[in-house]
Amino acid sequence: MSESNNALARAPRDDTAPDGLGVQLAAMPLRAMLTIRGDFADAGFVSAVEAVSGCTMPDVRKATFAGNNSLLWMSPDELMLFGDYAKADDLVAALNEKAAGSHMLAVNVSDARAVFKVSGAKARYALAKGAPVDFAQGSFGTGDLRRTRIATVATGIVMTAEDPDTFEVFCFRSYGTYLWNWLISACDENALSDLG
Amino acid sequence: MLLIHCPCCGVEAEETEFAAGGEAHIHRPGPDCSDAEWATYLFDRKNPRGVHLERWRHAFGCGKWFHMARHTYTLEVYGVYQADELTPPQAILDRIAERTSA
Amino acid sequence: MTRLAEGGALIDRTKPVSFKFDGKTYQGFAGDTLASAMLANGVKLVGRSYKYHRPRGVVTSGPEEPNALVNLGSGPTHEPNVRMTQVPLFEGLEATSQNRFPSLNADIGVLNALASKLYPAGFYYKTFIHPRVAWKHLFEPVIRNIAGLGRAPSEADPDTYEHQYAFCDVLIAGGGAAGLLAARKAGEAGARVMLVEQTERLGGRMLVDDDAEIDGKSAVAWVAEQVIALEAMDNVTIRLNTCASAAYDHGYTMLYERRTDDRKGTGPRHRLWRVRTKQIIAATGMIERPIAFYGNDVPGVMLASAVRDYVKLWGVAPGRNTVVYTVGDDGYRTALSLHAAGHKLSAVLDVREDPVGMLVEQVRGAGIKVMPATGIGKVIGGKAGVTAIKTVSFATGKDDAPLDDSIPCDCVAMAGGWSPVVHLYSHSGGKVLWDAKLAMYRPDANFRPTDGSGEGFVHAAGGANGELQTQAVLKSAAEAASGALSSIGMTTDTSAPTVAAVAEQPMQPTWFTPTQGKASYGGKHFLDYQNDVTVADIRLAAREGYESVEHAKRYTTLGMATDQGKLSNINGHAILADALGKAMPEVGTTTFRPPYTPISMGSIAGREKGILFKPVRETVMHNWHAAQNAEFEPVGDWRRPYRYQQGNEAREPSIHREIARVREAVGLLDASTLGKIIVKGPDAGKFLNMMYTNMMSTLKPGKCRYGLMCNDNGFLMDDGVVARLDEDTFLCHTTSGGSDRVHAWMEEWLQTEWFDLKVYTANVTEQWAQFAVAGPNARKLLERFEGDTDLSGDALPFMGFTDGVLDGLPVRIFRISFSGELSFEIATPTSYGPALWEALMSKGEDLGVGPYGTEALHVLRAEKGFIVVGDETDGTVTPHDVGMSWAVSKKKEDFIGKRAMMRSDLTREGRKQLVGLLTTNPRRVLPDGAHAMSADGTRAIGHVTSTYYSPTLKRSIAMALIEDGQSMMGQTLTIGIDANSAAKAVVSSPVFYDEEGARQNV
């Protein structure tokens, strides 16, 4: 996939957040995303995933990080691998090769989701305006992952390794505009000033 | 609104993350069954005022189906167990017996 | 002015605030409520009652207020039924009275009152039943004009509202003495605590009834100490102006926070908290009860506790000359407050024969006349307020006690005893029991509301638990905290601060005076101020057989107004019990339902309004479509271009233009919305054989097959093209609205029924932008791209697919057609969609390329007789019904729907079958859903499922489901259009165009 074509790709949205927000909000550029399904008790499968991703196998509802890659526990038989956009097909091929002996599925879904970053001391309160999740310190920390809903949109929310107040929120791409607008509304500094 | 523990991803979350799937342990007969057996499979449900073994799916979460033993009136939850278990584990049966004996 | 020269703990006399009521400007102070400011301005008449339009004044100082309801704001910010007692005063506040016509002072609805003999309980039920026509044209318009509380706003609310999720171990509702102590104990034990208080202040009644000393300090000083301690705890969150509105199952609690009623653009106006707590401590206090006597609704008759609240908190004396009417010691506190503020008291009337004790003696010592065994027989006054009362002696023991002295006064303070606020305890099933001594329902600790583990999770504390004395209040709070904490594995001791307070004597429950009087004594004795329910109404209900409290409530409307009977229910039930000769517990009480006080509609909606009302899904081409003037239509959550408008082109010509383009040149359709599910594994073929009616395991890699999906009832639920990518991997297309549903359906079977199958699925719908390139010029257009993919009919035949590259873009090209034309569906990773689409548009300009929308798509497919699941099917239609038996495998042992299709109802004669309909008048387009009539015209035998004007065929076409339709070819049917007209149509094949499929197979 050539650079020129990538430049033509429609960004998830106009990624400039308006003024007056109580947190930092950004739409993230495309990244490699792989849906990986397999038997977590299958040593061959697990070692293939760890070798290709460089990440250690995450615990339940956790994400692990290694360089530009991160590996997310999505369900008892599903992982999500984040990495460099241009390497997605290579990652799929490498997984298929290394886990050839296992019943598994690895598929490139790098174009299927929108990702937003919400960061700042009030970020957890902004997300809790729509997600029925306890984001309090002590309940939700670095590397924690939660699949839930924001309003009625299915989302995944990860606290990244960057710092303890940075969340990445992802949803199916078609809901991106809606979720972006929702986040802008929920991150209004006036709706956060009296919280926390 | 119920608070439900998903046995598949360990989350304790509110009901809005889940989808109810009706009565559990319904046997799906093969294509050679009688009309009556098929009708039972399709239509006959217990609908008790009391203990109910039922199917739920963590629809907004890990996407997995599981079973829950619940009282339909008091909303007490006796336990959750995996979707591939054909009957409730003994511990849940014991819990039901203990809680409903009085 | 009735503002006192000094005092008023809550007001800031250095900050005057001006506001308007009914257009007139008034002054108050910062810290006032609208009610305290109106009283300070000497305004007694603030509203009219619902039924009789009687003049009414402020009765209470809090959320239980039944009378002082106003319209707040104007235009788009107008809000009806706002309780003046809960509106903090702000500069520029505008309020208007409601339920009056034409004005508050001269309300013609008061005629209702003159005719009140015509309006007994149940009057509406008895009177307006017959004749029916009169209801619509006479009764309803007249009643609507006069009745009603407030006026609904007519413009969209510009304010923002929101929801907020929160979690805690212990939620404490109420910031009075009990709540503060419980919060302190829970906080010190290390629990995550939320303490919420519906007013803007902590301390509850301690701020007013400060005659007790707690741990050697004044009550106010003790409160301050608790607040400082709580604010220092990181694990304790305090929210003021936040009412615990509801306690639902499993600790789900709804809080209603009023943030900025002054609408100064400072964020959400109201916030609805959705809290999941492990334990609730209901420290919600008590509400004082009024007493029913003749004239107890004249403006100036108030609750005694409210009178002293106004004196102490806002520096307002509601009257210059007050009479206290009490059933116990508590009313004496009001007398003492007024006396301390330098105001005159004509008398304290006490129903007890021999009132004694400290409070009584203090009042006597102040030179105030105490009248034992005396009640109010009559209030004299009108809309300007009370002018005097006449007393009635309880000593006579006679039914209609003669009226005794007349005592001039302008305010009557009623102290009828207290009722615990048991709402939170009761909302999710907690039971209450009757305490005859204190004449109150109090929480029954043996029947708490239970959580998911079956354990009680709501603990009543303080007044809410029925405790009247400060020492008992604090003890009860400590016990509630201990109980809540031990339920979550934490501990605290049950010690409570030591209270030094005056001893109080027992009260004497009194619901109605004269106690032995007839309900007709003098005039009306109000129980429910808001709904104008009187003692006589309840007694009438009892006489007419409405013995159940639930029936009596509905018959009389007792407690059914916006205040939900906060002042009236217990009194009403007591009157009912008395009338029936039963004890209170035998009569029972009505169910407490959330919310505790009305909450705004805006807070319920939260931020899900306007563009956030409902999620909308957009394809990657959405902006392009919009720029081309696409008219969008919803398909599931998706927005798809219905048609593209050129200039101000009407709908039909634009759709016909798009259809002609596909039939004659080449059109582009954004089909990205089609669901795409990867199914992979050694058992994938076996699994799909179960999911589809067709045989999928025999599909060759590189080939496509159109498949039907049924449920186990045998009814069609989805359809789509399945492509086999390799031996182990299939790509299943679903309908646009069906991707999530079908993916979930597959997972359901894999997880719950066939968990032995080695199959994994993944929903890759949004990974791909997918475009149909359809029309005779389609191949010509694609051959202009650089790439080595052979697109000839031999290399890529109909129902084949190939991976390839078009001008450097990775693509998968399917030879499938939903238009009946030569058609390629091209999928490319979503991000490349715009590049591919733009390239198709620019390279095909001379070939006549252009976009077509979903309506053109529908006409094109209808011309070909292709079904749409959801149009031709409605959840009761089988593949056989729509003539697709060819897609139902006879070889497979089982598939979902197979057994059901053998059921007698699905194999019987007379089922509706899909046919075409050709109207005898070719211009006549049948209405969607129109019914076909049986030959004798007596019944409907089927209905139109799709109907269009076909520009290709230059005539109307329709598809329909008709009983035994396949055997009726060539017959003419009558199709009902409306009540007076019908059309004729001939039954035909549903395939209207290119029946042999020559156009698509080239």
Side-chain angles (χ1 to χ4, degrees), chain C residues 172-175 179-180 183 193-197 202 230 236-239:
Chain C
I172 296 163
L180 289 170
V193 175
M194 270 188 98
L195 170 63
V196 299
E197 162 56 42
L202 293 169
L230 289 170
V236 176
T237 304
I238 302 173
R239 295 212 78 85

Side-chain angles (χ1 to χ4, degrees), chain C residues 720-741:
Chain C
V721 169
V722 177
R724 189 164 199 166
L725 303 183
D726 58 43
E727 190 55 36
D728 271 0
T729 316
F730 293 79
L731 170 62
C732 303
H733 288 96
T734 77
T735 56
S736 288
S739 62
D740 292 342
R741 189 174 63 241

Side-chain angles (χ1 to χ4, degrees), chain A residues 1 111 129 134 149 174 185, chain C residues 162 165 192 766 831-832:
Chain A
M1 302 183 190
D111 285 66
K129 292 177 192 294
D134 187 359
R149 60 177 182 84
S174 62
S185 169
Chain C
E162 69 174 16
Y165 285 94
R192 283 171 80 183
E766 303 216 23
S831 300
Y832 299 88

Side-chain angles (χ1 to χ4, degrees), chain C residues 223-245:
Chain C
V223 165
E225 193 180 286
Q226 307 316 307
V227 174
I228 288 164
L230 289 170
E231 282 176 344
M233 293 184 204
D234 286 340
N235 55 327
V236 176
T237 304
I238 302 173
R239 295 212 78 85
L240 302 177
N241 295 310
T242 303
C243 176
S245 281

Side-chain angles (χ1 to χ4, degrees), chain A residues 37-39 42 45 99-105, chain C residues 680-683 757-760:
Chain A
R37 297 194 62 180
D39 180 356
D42 173 350
F45 167 75
S102 298
H103 163 47
M104 57 84 76
L105 165 66
Chain C
K680 185 192 173 192
D683 295 324
L757 291 185
K758 283 184 182 308
V759 176
Y760 286 122

Side-chain angles (χ1 to χ4, degrees), chain C residues 515-572:
Chain C
T515 50
Q516 305 298 314
K518 289 180 180 164
S520 59
Y521 177 87
K524 293 189 183 305
H525 315 72
F526 284 93
L527 294 166
D528 185 326
Y529 290 117
Q530 219 175 80
N531 268 354
D532 279 342
V533 180
T534 65
V535 171
D537 291 329
I538 297 291
R539 289 186 177 173
L540 177 68
R543 273 204 309 283
E544 295 191 349
Y546 295 90
E547 299 186 2
S548 151
V549 69
E550 296 286 356
H551 292 161
K553 164 187 163 176
R554 283 155 183 82
Y555 193 55
T556 63
T557 73
L558 175 80
M560 289 171 69
T562 65
D563 65 346
Q564 289 286 288
K566 288 186 178 62
L567 294 191
S568 60
N569 274 351
I570 299 300
N571 300 39

Side-chain angles (χ1 to χ4, degrees), chain C residues 251-271:
Chain C
Y252 180 57
T253 311
M254 186 173 77
L255 314 177
Y256 178 58
E257 180 179 9
R258 294 172 301 122
R259 286 180 83 245
T260 59
D261 265 336
D262 62 354
R263 301 178 184 237
K264 294 273 165 54
T266 45
R269 179 167 170 247
H270 298 154
R271 182 184 279 146

Side-chain angles (χ1 to χ4, degrees), chain A residues 74-100:
Chain A
M74 300 292 280
S75 93
D77 60 5
E78 182 177 344
L79 299 162
M80 175 83 80
L81 174 59
F82 288 166
D84 297 329
Y85 183 70
K87 293 183 186 162
D89 285 333
D90 295 343
L91 289 167
V92 171
L95 275 167
N96 281 331
E97 188 194 324
K98 282 206 179 345

